[in-house]
């Protein structure tokens, strides 16, 4: 299996879509604060967003590792299990941060705003997915999976994925409270 990170760097259309509207940039993997996982497991920042958030791989391994997202406001949470799942989320619902209740209504409202600015969003998304060799599930499925992972009904419900601000040994607030 080839690396999706390598595929992103090799396919401009995929990297461009992920940069915007996906708000995911492989050149921004350094988090602004010193952090660690409460469990002591490995934590590797590998991408960031334009607002100072960071995407981290958790534990040992490769791109199949759980992905934790920490925003610049002191909130963090598991959002995907593996890079393929994260990329499907970013491609299908790049507005995922605007869906704290994971509802279809929230998503439709956020999508309408994105589509007003990017009328060719679906075509660009489909081209990026094809370049990365990803099959995209329906939006409802992506949001249901985000809810499952982020709220602990799936993998990540325990202390294993609690992000801690190291200098004060204080945990980040949950990204989602759902």
């Amino acid at each position: 299996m080839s690396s999706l990170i390598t595929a992103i760097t090799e396919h401009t259309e995929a990297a461009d879509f992920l940069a915007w509207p996906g708000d995911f940039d492989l050149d921004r993997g350094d988090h602004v604060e010193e952090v660690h996982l409460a469990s002591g497991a490995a934590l590797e920042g590998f991408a960031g967003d334009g607002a100072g958030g960071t995407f981290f791989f958790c534990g040992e391994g490769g791109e199949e590792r759980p992905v934790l997202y920490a925003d610049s406001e002191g909130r963090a949470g598991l959002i995907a299990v593996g890079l393929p799942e994260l990329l499907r989320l970013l491609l299908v619902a790049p507005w995922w941060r605007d869906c704290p209740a994971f509802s279809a209504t929230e998503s439709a409202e956020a999508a309408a705003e994105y589509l007003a600015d990017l009328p060719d969003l679906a075509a660009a998304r489909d081209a990026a997915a094809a370049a990365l060799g990803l099959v995209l599930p329906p939006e409802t499925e992506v949001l249901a999976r985000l809810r499952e992972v982020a709220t602990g009904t799936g993998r990540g419900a325990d202390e294993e994925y609690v992000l801690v601000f190291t200098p004060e040994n204080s945990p980040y607030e949950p990204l989602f409270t759902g």
Side-chain angles (χ1 to χ4, degrees), residues 7-109:
I8 293 167
T9 62
E10 292 176 350
H11 293 86
T12 303
E13 64 275 5
D16 288 350
F17 186 93
L18 289 169
W20 190 254
D23 204 10
F24 173 88
D25 186 345
L26 290 172
D27 293 330
R28 296 181 186 213
D30 292 331
H31 196 58
V32 297
E33 299 179 324
E34 185 181 348
V35 294
H36 67 276
L37 288 174
S39 66
L43 186 68
E44 177 190 347
F46 69 94
D49 66 21
T54 307
F55 297 89
F56 295 94
F57 283 126
C58 300
E60 301 295 329
E63 295 177 357
E64 78 286 351
R65 292 177 284 172
V67 177
L68 182 135
Y69 173 77
D71 69 16
S72 61
E73 304 299 316
R75 295 177 301 202
L78 198 64
I79 60 169
V81 179
L83 187 56
E85 187 171 276
L86 173 65
L87 295 178
R88 285 190 290 272
L89 171 65
L90 299 175
L91 290 166
V92 173
W95 46 82
W96 64 273
R97 291 174 197 88
D98 298 325
C99 300
F102 312 101
S103 74
T105 302
E106 284 175 323
S107 188
E109 290 170 3

Side-chain angles (χ1 to χ4, degrees), residues 124-138:
R125 175 204 60 217
D126 293 346
L132 298 174
L134 294 172
V135 175
L136 298 178

Side-chain angles (χ1 to χ4, degrees), residues 107-128:
S107 188
E109 290 170 3
E113 290 178 27
Y114 275 70
L115 289 168
D117 292 334
L118 302 164
D120 65 338
L121 186 137
R125 175 204 60 217
D126 293 346

